[in-house]
Amino acid sequence: MSQFNQVKTKLALGLISLGALSFFISSHGAENLPVDWNLDGELSVTIEGDRRIVKMADNVRVTQGSLLITGDTAVFEYTIDTEELIRITMHGTPVEYQQQLDGDEGNVTGNSDTLILYSDELTAESIVEMIGNAFIQSPTSTMKCATITYVTERDLIREAEGPCEGALSSAPGQ
């Protein structure tokens, strides 16, 4: 890696660590954990309007607490004024997603061509949008659709666009 790329990577690491501390998974006990990432390829940082855009390429892996997402490329969006991480968009063949639910409720896993994570502006709930060949499996459901919008705190598939197929079941003890 060239010295210029090393400086860019260190700058990006510093900027990312400032804004990533309270991202996603608020009800999963990870609100004070950093969003960690690694990649095998290039990293670039640009300013677009009021956002700092960090682009990562080649075998990107993102973690925060029990959240794990892997894909080919990722785009992190931060506000410039507060350095708050507001959105992660990942593309892959496919993007893989997994996260443990609260307590002993089990795991959620899934995959899609594109995955977008953000906090809903009205409810502050963590949203996972899976776009293109979307598949998700939780302790209470399995679904495959063109797109799926999943609310992590509620283990709820809020929206889906077909064609779809799947199965729903009651969680143990319900």
Side-chain angles (χ1 to χ4, degrees):
M1 180 184 291
S2 73
Q3 187 174 13
F4 178 71
N5 283 340
Q6 288 176 346
V7 170
K8 281 189 350 184
T9 301
K10 287 179 183 178
L11 174 63
L13 285 170
L15 295 172
I16 289 169
S17 65
L18 288 174
L21 295 178
S22 63
F23 191 60
F24 309 124
I25 324 173
S26 58
S27 71
H28 295 278
E31 64 272 5
N32 293 320
L33 297 176
V35 176
D36 294 318
W37 54 266
N38 60 46
L39 58 106
D40 292 337
E42 294 292 319
L43 181 140
S44 66
V45 180
T46 59
I47 303 296
E48 296 178 15
D50 63 346
R51 302 236 172 125
R52 181 176 320 278
I53 307 297
V54 179
K55 295 180 181 178
M56 302 176 190
D58 197 13
N59 195 27
V60 181
R61 179 180 171 99
V62 176
T63 61
Q64 183 187 35
S66 70
L67 174 72
L68 169 63
I69 308 165
T70 59
D72 299 331
T73 63
V75 177
F76 284 48
E77 297 178 41
Y78 294 87
T79 60
I80 290 178
D81 56 345
T82 64
E83 292 295 332
E84 176 186 0
L85 178 57
I86 55 176
R87 179 181 307 265
I88 296 175
T89 303
M90 291 192 74
H91 301 281
T93 51
V95 175
E96 300 283 341
Y97 163 78
Q98 71 179 37
Q99 182 175 13
Q100 180 162 352
L101 298 174
D102 285 337
D104 293 330
E105 295 180 33
N107 290 321
V108 176
T109 60
N111 57 63
S112 59
D113 298 335
T114 299
L115 187 138
I116 304 170
L117 285 93
Y118 59 92
S119 293
D120 185 280
E121 291 180 14
L122 298 175
T123 65
E125 293 174 318
S126 301
I127 306 296
V128 177
E129 287 186 24
M130 304 171 98
I131 303 166
N133 300 305
F135 172 79
I136 193 164
Q137 182 173 8
S138 76
T140 60
S141 65
T142 299
M143 187 175 288
K144 181 176 177 129
C145 297
T147 66
I148 296 171
T149 302
Y150 176 71
V151 181
T152 64
E153 286 87 353
R154 294 197 244 165
D155 183 26
L156 172 70
I157 297 172
R158 184 173 76 185
E159 297 175 31
E161 185 176 312
C164 289
E165 61 181 78
L168 300 173
S169 64
S170 295
Q174 291 187 344

